[in-house]
Amino acid sequence: MNLFKISYKNIIAKPLNAILSILLLAFSVVIISLSFKFQKQVTSKIAKNTAGIDMVIGAKGSPLQLILSSVLHIDNPTGNINFDEAKKITKNPLIKNAIPISYGDNYKGYRIVGTTPAYKALYGGELLEGKSATKPLEVVIGAAVAQKSNLKIGDSFVSSHGLIEEGNHHHDHHHLTVVGIYKTSHSVLDNLIVTPLETVWDMHHHHDHTSKNKEITSVLVQFKSPMGFVRIPRSINEKSSMQAALTKFELDKLYNYTGIGVKIIQIMAIVILIISVFSIYISLYKIVKDRSYELALMRVYGANQLQLILLVFYEGLIISISGYILGLILSFAGGTYLYKYISREYNYTIQQAFITDIDVYLFFSVLLLLSVITLFNLKSIISINIPKILSHEK
């Protein structure tokens, strides 16, 4: 007796309740899977991009904006600061590393960042081909830039002023030349065009590189010890024309602001999951009540109670697995669309996996809930009154 096949035929015979349960379960799986995976991917990506950056020194303004613009490159800078003034601050013995960056131009939406060779080391940047940019107007492009812009070693291009692709002002007198391409690092470096600081100064008419009027956008700082977190930011904010923003502190505030909405969505998804499980329970209960005659006949022809329990369990299993797989497919499709949108609008690449540990936990949670609701129907299956049912007594 193929119990699984019988269960499948029973669902096909009366599909309406099963379809409703499948859709409810799929909807809850989509929201839970997509929200948890998105949250994990974003926090993991941000952690990778901020590793080794304890503080950012920049122009006065919003500290969070300074972090988002200088570290994650998803906002506009707060302004420029004097290079020599910033350099004096970074000579503090509590500072381990200080990397100046300067930007304000783009090519097809990809930011052109003037910096020092130490910048690529933050993200483990390695050359796929070519060489490092050592002279003004030489650039090394990230892997995503190379792939999407079709730039190759030896190609020249003209940048646009501003950080958006539709910039009207072009630096026609300064042609940038690609001398290297970075390997994929799955970091912000993949979406940047890196060049020496002198390139940015040349394009913005600071031809005298020894001038005291040189400006940069910000400085990325790593401390030698925890004491730096206490002393340096306060000193900069109180005694200079610049501001210091602590990376982790500002990002934690951002997580607190956005985390409430994500948690509400996740709670709603869990509520929908519980409703879908209850719907499956009702479906299984109706199976036992509406098909009590068929179940009684099966007992007469030799089926034991365990086989009847498995018959009901298999029907719930088919509904649960169908809803889970459908939800997983829709979650992947939704994630693909969402990540492509983020990549297109913000030049920020997020990797997506079809199956993650969250999906595995969700799968076993669904199986556990199915086992529980089968146990709730156990009494109805065991207490079938065969003589009464077969004689049609009420």
Side-chain angles (χ1 to χ4, degrees), residues 159-356:
S159 65
S160 299
H161 188 63
L163 300 177
I164 57 174
E165 186 176 353
E166 293 79 10
N168 294 321
H169 178 66
H170 300 277
H171 296 288
D172 297 324
H173 299 295
H174 297 88
H175 287 76
L176 303 176
T177 303
V178 179
V179 297
I181 299 174
Y182 289 121
K183 292 180 181 178
T184 300
S185 62
H186 301 298
S187 69
V188 70
L189 190 64
D190 293 339
N191 296 291
L192 296 178
I193 299 172
V194 181
T195 186
L197 282 168
E198 290 78 9
T199 300
V200 179
W201 292 333
D202 280 352
M203 289 193 298
H204 295 88
H205 311 297
H206 297 294
H207 299 294
D208 180 8
H209 298 162
T210 63
S211 171
K212 293 183 179 180
N213 294 322
K214 287 181 299 184
E215 291 185 327
I216 56 173
T217 306
S218 56
V219 182
L220 311 180
V221 175
Q222 183 182 24
F223 296 124
K224 283 183 180 178
S225 70
M227 188 61 66
F229 288 91
V230 179
R231 293 184 177 179
I232 297 178
R234 179 180 296 177
S235 174
I236 293 172
N237 290 330
E238 292 179 355
K239 300 178 182 179
S240 76
S241 59
M242 299 175 287
Q243 73 164 329
L246 294 174
T247 308
K248 188 176 185 306
F249 178 75
E250 295 302 327
L251 290 178
D252 283 346
K253 286 200 300 184
L254 178 64
Y255 292 148
N256 289 334
Y257 294 149
T258 58
I260 297 174
V262 173
K263 286 179 182 177
I264 290 173
I265 292 173
Q266 291 171 348
I267 291 171
M268 289 174 59
I270 292 171
V271 170
I272 295 171
L273 176 63
I274 294 171
I275 293 172
S276 67
V277 169
F278 184 73
S279 173
I280 296 173
Y281 166 75
I282 296 298
S283 296
L284 297 184
Y285 182 80
K286 288 189 68 178
I287 287 169
V288 176
K289 291 300 180 183
D290 296 346
R291 295 174 183 162
S292 57
Y293 185 79
E294 289 89 339
L295 295 176
L297 279 178
M298 290 179 67
R299 291 282 283 127
V300 169
Y301 285 107
N304 55 42
Q305 289 182 340
L306 177 60
Q307 288 176 312
L308 297 188
I309 292 170
L310 286 176
L311 184 68
V312 175
F313 176 79
Y314 286 155
E315 291 201 29
L317 183 64
I318 292 171
I319 293 172
S320 300
I321 296 295
S322 299
Y324 175 80
I325 293 175
L326 177 61
L328 208 59
I329 292 171
L330 292 176
S331 172
F332 184 79
T336 300
Y337 175 81
L338 177 62
Y339 296 154
K340 281 185 177 179
Y341 173 81
I342 292 173
S343 177
R344 184 177 65 252
E345 294 296 323
Y346 301 101
N347 286 329
Y348 205 72
T349 306
I350 301 176
Q351 301 297 315
Q352 181 181 208
F354 185 71
I355 299 288
T356 65

